[in-house]
Amino acid sequence: MNDVQNDTADSLRADFPPLLDWEEVLQDEREDRLGFARRTTYALLTLAGEGLVEGFAGSNRAGLEGARRTAALFQAHLRQMQHFAEIAEVRLEQVAKALAVDA
C-alpha cells in the first residue's frame, strides 16, 4: 500500500510544462472576459493557500488586485444569472397556471 501512496505522491509533484504563455493568457482575457473570469475563479479554488500567498507576494500585488477584480466579475455574472433564473421560474409558474385553467 505504501508503494501506491508513494507513486501517487510522486505523480502529484510532476513538473508539467506550461500550456500557455503570458501573451496567450492576456489574449484569452481580452477575447472572452467572462470565460476568463470563470476559469480564473475555479483555478483560484484549486490552489493551496500557501501557493496563493507566495504567488501574490512581493511585487505581484497588482496581480492580486487583478485576480480579485476577475473573481468579482464572475460573482456579478452569477448574481445576474440567478436573477434571470428566478424570473424564468416565475414565468414558468405563470405558464403552469394558464395550462391548469385550460385543462
Side-chain angles (χ1 to χ4, degrees), residues 32-83:
D32 182 13
R33 287 196 58 186
L34 185 57
F36 180 81
R38 177 183 47 81
R39 290 185 296 278
T40 299
T41 300
Y42 291 157
L44 289 168
L45 295 173
T46 64
L47 298 173
E50 63 270 2
L52 288 170
V53 170
E54 184 179 319
F56 290 121
S59 63
N60 198 15
R61 296 294 171 107
L64 174 61
E65 290 307 311
R68 292 176 77 176
R69 284 190 306 273
T70 299
L73 172 66
F74 186 55
Q75 183 180 42
H77 170 72
L78 291 176
R79 285 185 177 140
Q80 184 180 37
M81 292 300 101
Q82 179 180 358
H83 176 71

Side-chain angles (χ1 to χ4, degrees), residues 82-96:
Q82 179 180 358
H83 176 71
F84 290 155
E86 289 168 357
I87 292 170
E89 285 178 343
V90 169
R91 294 187 80 185
L92 290 170
E93 184 63 31
Q94 292 169 346
V95 169

